[in-house]
Amino acid sequence: MIAVTLPVLSAIPSVAQDYLIGSQDVLKISVFEYPDLTTEVRVSEDGKITFPLLGEIVAKNLTTRQLEKGIAEKLAAGNFVKEPQVSVFIQQYRGRKVTIIGEVVKPGQYEIAGPTTLLDTISLALGMNQNAGYLLTVFRKEPGPDGREATRKITVDVDRLLNGGDLSQDIELQNGDVIYVPKAIFYIYGEVNRPGAYRLEKGITVKRAIALAGGLTPKGTESRIEITRREGEKERDLGADIDDPIRLDDVVRIKESIF
């Protein structure tokens, strides 16, 4: 089987959530009809900025809309500006990196600027190859309940995203995220025309597997099917029917007809 790049990734629109301001971002803040208050400022490591008349303000982990609202409320509360109209624009995003490994054409670490989703990053890696599974995992480091850093695993169903249009699966990535695209294949051999390894599609059955393998040979029969399945450290040989589902790494054997 020849590896191919799935062509559909770039066709899906990005619907990133509002970007959260981070340390080292550069912001341009202006107040309508008050040009003297226009400020270009870099967010400090502790997440603060200094704004005229107001002094230090926390900006980290706020959206631009939230920061606009906060500055406007402070200007109004201090009687500095009546009904202020504040705008915040991110001039420069801080350096953020994500890593993608596994069954993609170009695995590696990528620097991202601004809101970036899962599919944006898969597109940067030139797409998934034909052995890629439909369930991906994003590993994200977050503070745990005890304050220590912990790794959270986020499972994403790419089939729901690409074929079902479920854009909630196109999650926005954060700095340091690692995307793992696993290999998901099964094997079929015996009395089929094209025995070999095939990508495990969602909901695939023995019947569909036989079709992918070019159908039965003249000696093949649907009544003599066996699946070798790994369960933990052991393997089991199971009798199977034509409509049975296939699991990851299953080995399907189509036997000869006894007649």
Side-chain angles (χ1 to χ4, degrees):
M1 297 175 66
I2 300 174
V4 295
T5 302
L6 298 182
V8 292
L9 296 177
S10 61
I12 302 296
S14 171
V15 287
Q17 303 169 6
D18 282 345
Y19 174 73
L20 298 180
I21 296 168
S23 300
Q24 302 304 312
D25 282 348
V26 177
L27 311 179
K28 183 175 182 179
I29 306 172
S30 56
V31 182
F32 182 62
E33 293 187 340
Y34 289 84
D36 291 346
L37 294 180
T38 297
T39 302
E40 187 170 306
V41 61
R42 183 180 296 273
V43 182
S44 67
E45 284 296 335
D46 61 0
K48 297 178 181 179
I49 61 171
T50 300
F51 189 76
L53 303 177
L54 302 180
E56 283 192 337
I57 301 173
V58 174
K60 186 176 180 179
N61 292 329
L62 298 178
T63 66
T64 54
R65 292 187 184 90
Q66 289 171 332
L67 184 57
E68 288 168 352
K69 182 180 179 182
I71 292 174
E73 289 175 348
K74 292 179 184 295
L75 289 172
N79 293 319
F80 299 117
V81 178
K82 185 179 181 179
E83 297 181 356
Q85 299 179 42
V86 180
S87 64
V88 176
F89 176 74
I90 301 178
Q91 292 274 70
Q92 180 183 337
Y93 294 93
R94 71 191 188 279
R96 299 190 302 159
K97 295 181 179 179
V98 297
T99 302
I100 183 166
I101 58 177
E103 299 301 310
V104 291
V105 176
K106 191 179 178 183
Q109 189 176 76
Y110 292 87
E111 187 163 332
I112 57 176
T116 302
T117 67
L118 177 66
L119 285 187
D120 292 333
T121 305
I122 293 175
S123 294
L124 288 175
L126 304 182
M128 301 185 296
N129 65 39
Q130 73 173 19
N131 290 330
Y134 61 87
L135 292 178
L136 315 185
T137 303
V138 177
F139 296 92
R140 176 171 297 169
K141 293 183 178 180
E142 297 179 335
D146 57 358
R148 297 181 180 180
E149 191 173 68
T151 299
R152 176 187 172 198
K153 295 181 181 180
I154 305 171
T155 301
V156 177
D157 189 327
V158 178
D159 184 74
R160 282 174 55 188
L161 173 58
L162 298 180
N163 298 323
D166 182 359
L167 295 178
S168 69
Q169 298 295 304
D170 193 16
I171 64 173
E172 184 173 339
L173 299 178
Q174 298 180 9
N175 184 44
D177 281 354
V178 176
I179 306 162
Y180 174 53
V181 183
K183 179 182 289 187
I185 59 176
F186 70 93
Y187 307 87
I188 183 169
Y189 71 103
E191 297 302 324
V192 289
N193 289 302
R194 293 195 301 271
Y198 290 85
R199 179 176 181 265
L200 182 68
E201 300 173 2
K202 191 173 186 179
I204 193 169
T205 62
V206 173
K207 184 176 182 179
R208 171 65 177 155
I210 292 173
L212 288 174
L216 299 175
T217 68
K219 295 181 180 180
T221 176
E222 294 181 355
S223 62
R224 300 189 69 212
I225 302 170
E226 183 177 87
I227 294 178
T228 301
R229 177 167 296 161
R230 181 176 295 277
E231 296 180 351
E233 296 295 323
K234 299 180 180 180
E235 291 186 346
R236 292 180 58 198
D237 292 331
L238 309 170
D241 294 324
I242 197 73
D243 294 320
D244 284 351
I246 294 177
R247 298 181 186 176
L248 179 66
D249 288 333
D250 275 358
V251 179
V252 182
R253 181 185 176 191
I254 308 298
K255 299 181 179 181
E256 287 186 28
S257 171
I258 59 176
F259 299 103

